[in-house]
Amino acid sequence: MTEHTATSRPPAVQVSTLAKRTLGVPALVFLIIAASAPLTVLAGGATTSFAITGQTGVPVGYLLLGVILGLFAVGFGRMSTYVHNAGAFYAYVAAGLGTRLGIGTSFLALMTYNAMQIGIYGVFGFTASSIIADLFGVTLAWWVCALAGWLLVAWLGVHRIDLSAKLLAIIVLLEFLVVIIVSLLSLTTSPEGVTAAPLLPQNWLNGSLGALLAFGMAAFMGFESGAIYSEEAKNPERSVARATYIAVGIIAVFYAASSWALAIGLGPSQIVAQAQEWGPDLVFVFLDGKLSGLLVNLAAVLFLTSIMAALVAFHNAAARYFFSMGRAQVLPSALGRTGRVSGAPVVGSLVQSALGLVFILVFAIAGAGSELGPLFPVLTMFPWLTNAAGFGLVLLLCVTSVAALQYFNREPERHPLFARTIAPLLAAIGLAVIAVLIMFNFDVMIDAEGSTALVVLLPGLILGSAVVGLIWGEYLRVKRPEIYDAVRQANIG
């Protein structure tokens, strides 16, 4: 690449080098937690889980998932000390189960992260439109607001990752503050008293556990993303694993505590009915009258920035999967180019942004004149894509646990029994059960009444991406063995 070419096409790009040693443990933790968006989980995820499952045992679901994912993190974190690659899942599976399965996993990961990131634009556009209407009396179509958010995400995606990390750190800290305030107000309000009723076995061991786990999984989306930044982390041999453990613990305990507090604030006997009536607005309805109008409005704006934080986090993850696969030439090598100054995966970021733009426009056209009105993106784009992504994530975690099991047991003397066998095996079993539960509850999760084809189509697309990846891996093995062998050598670990 000549100097003239590099300076005439900003941002200038080079091949295969991400920014080195820019992220410490705190930055990694913020990037991880931003993907699960604390305020979005409480206002959107927890209330939806209360409403659809009809049970008060939502906090227990978060705790149980925390245990399963904590077990997963043991093998996952240990793998991060041996294999450093921006395509974490694909690299780990390739190292543990072989190159063909690794390439299949890379396609599954690409589909999963892109589906999650793009689906969130639906709820972002609706929320931004609603807030602007409430605060300024101006009515904007959801897709106009989604495009504004898309533009900001696209801009951040081609700049240094530590810029995104600093922005996300501020947003996440403010989110935690709002959720803590809601929780304290809930405990001081407690119309039925502070009680452990939501945690009692009869409120989750009654046939609803599967749905609670299926819905709760969305709260942990992105907890594994620390490994994606391993090439950009300071001391990745220790920082990635440490950040993952911290994030899983914080997410599980904090979300369980805040959802329990919300149930106490509304009253355990009323939380389900209230959630079914108000949905994601429940938290702000609860705050109305307890805080000044200004503070309630600020909380609503933070809800929007919470969604933006998740968009940025998943965009970064998807862009790095594109980068990793382009660098390995599993996909076009242009995807492996990074900015000379920023070290960001510029081409992968632009491709992810292009996909987001296409889907926003497609759903904008499809929703024109819909009987669903302004709720169209919240009832279609958001649940369809994000729940499909949740299913894909569970499959990724399950396969990665099996890969860790295989990888560590090649040299059992180097790894303790718990890390090499017990934790990965229990995690794989638990995650396989959750995957089955999601399949059985998928119609409820996407509210598929009258649209039953989606119950098969959406999970089928997720599984189909893995099959396409396996076929592509076999093609590379036969027709492009030099690429196939290079992937194998790069991920021996």
Side-chain angles (χ1 to χ4, degrees):
M1 182 180 293
T2 66
E3 183 178 352
H4 173 73
T5 302
T7 57
S8 64
R9 187 180 57 204
V13 294
Q14 60 186 15
V15 179
S16 302
T17 305
L18 290 167
K20 298 295 184 182
R21 294 193 296 275
T22 56
L23 302 173
V25 172
L28 287 171
V29 171
F30 281 122
L31 282 166
I32 293 169
I33 295 178
S36 60
L39 186 53
T40 301
V41 168
L42 181 63
T47 55
T48 299
S49 191
F50 280 123
I52 294 181
T53 65
Q55 302 296 326
T56 61
V58 172
V60 178
Y62 292 134
L63 291 175
L64 291 176
L65 285 168
V67 172
I68 294 171
L69 297 180
L71 290 169
F72 168 82
V74 172
F76 184 74
R78 196 171 184 85
M79 284 288 283
S80 72
T81 66
Y82 295 93
V83 181
H84 306 152
N85 193 304
F89 284 130
Y90 123 78
Y92 293 179
V93 173
L97 298 177
T99 304
R100 190 184 299 105
L101 280 172
I103 293 172
T105 300
S106 71
F107 278 65
L108 174 60
L110 261 185
M111 177 70 81
T112 294
Y113 280 103
N114 277 288
M116 175 58 67
Q117 201 274 349
I118 294 169
I120 295 173
Y121 278 119
V123 73
F124 177 86
F126 169 81
T127 303
S129 176
S130 177
I131 289 174
I132 291 171
D134 289 342
L135 295 182
F136 305 107
V138 177
T139 301
L140 294 176
W142 73 269
W143 56 267
V144 173
C145 298
L147 287 175
W150 170 86
L151 188 62
L152 176 59
V153 173
W155 181 80
L156 286 170
V158 297
H159 288 77
R160 286 175 62 90
I161 184 62
D162 52 345
L163 174 62
S164 292
K166 291 171 184 175
L167 175 64
L168 295 179
I170 295 170
I171 293 174
V172 170
L173 286 172
L174 290 173
E175 286 183 64
F176 272 110
L177 179 60
V178 172
V179 174
I180 290 170
I181 290 172
V182 171
S183 298
L184 292 175
L185 286 173
S186 296
L187 294 176
T188 56
T189 303
S190 56
E192 299 173 19
V194 177
T195 171
L199 309 178
L200 297 178
Q202 61 264 32
N203 292 317
W204 51 276
L205 278 180
N206 54 7
S208 65
L209 182 59
L212 290 173
L213 292 175
F215 279 103
M217 191 67 203
F220 292 84
M221 281 294 295
F223 87 94
E224 77 299 336
S225 59
I228 295 172
Y229 303 105
S230 60
E231 294 181 47
E232 299 156 277
K234 301 173 183 175
N235 190 14
E237 291 81 5
R238 309 179 92 180
S239 60
V240 171
R242 191 172 299 170
T244 303
Y245 298 144
I246 293 171
V248 170
I250 290 175
I251 290 170
V253 174
F254 189 75
Y255 292 168
S258 59
S259 58
W260 167 76
L262 184 63
I264 297 302
L266 275 298
S269 67
Q270 297 299 314
I271 181 64
V272 170
Q274 292 289 315
Q276 291 170 342
E277 178 179 357
W278 296 106
D281 286 335
L282 178 60
V283 169
F284 307 105
V285 170
F286 172 75
L287 290 176
D288 193 24
K290 297 180 177 63
L291 296 176
S292 69
L294 175 61
L295 291 177
V296 174
N297 288 335
L298 285 174
V301 171
L302 273 175
F303 181 39
L304 182 64
T305 60
S306 169
I307 301 171
M308 172 56 68
L311 281 169
V312 172
F314 284 115
H315 172 89
N316 286 334
R320 278 154 181 77
Y321 267 99
F322 277 124
F323 163 81
S324 179
M325 294 169 69
R327 180 176 59 183
Q329 298 185 62
V330 172
L331 290 179
S333 59
L335 291 167
R337 293 178 178 175
T338 58
R340 289 191 184 278
V341 176
S342 67
V346 171
V347 180
S349 180
L350 292 174
V351 170
Q352 205 287 320
S353 294
L355 287 172
L357 178 62
V358 168
F359 273 84
I360 291 171
L361 295 177
V362 166
F363 275 88
I365 294 169
S370 170
E371 62 183 15
L372 297 176
L375 286 172
F376 177 80
V378 180
L379 299 177
T380 57
M381 185 179 187
F382 176 61
W384 294 358
L385 296 181
T386 58
N387 282 308
F391 176 61
L393 175 65
V394 174
L395 293 179
L396 284 168
L397 299 180
C398 186
V399 174
T400 304
S401 290
V402 176
L405 186 71
Q406 178 71 12
Y407 181 84
F408 295 137
N409 278 284
R410 288 182 189 145
E411 299 178 291
E413 68 281 356
R414 295 182 58 191
H415 311 284
L417 177 63
F418 183 76
R420 76 172 185 264
T421 300
I422 296 175
L425 179 60
L426 291 177
I429 293 171
L431 290 161
V433 170
I434 293 173
V436 173
L437 292 173
I438 289 176
M439 289 293 293
F440 277 109
N441 289 278
F442 206 77
D443 56 339
V444 177
M445 295 172 71
I446 65 170
D447 193 19
E449 184 178 353
S451 307
T452 52
L454 289 172
V455 177
V456 177
L457 178 62
L458 292 174
L461 288 173
I462 295 295
L463 291 170
S465 66
V467 173
V468 169
L470 290 172
I471 294 172
W472 184 246
E474 180 62 16
Y475 169 81
L476 293 176
R477 187 187 71 83
V478 175
K479 299 294 186 180
R480 302 292 302 275
E482 71 281 3
I483 293 177
Y484 190 88
D485 289 341
V487 172
R488 180 177 61 81
Q489 289 295 329
N491 294 303
I492 289 176

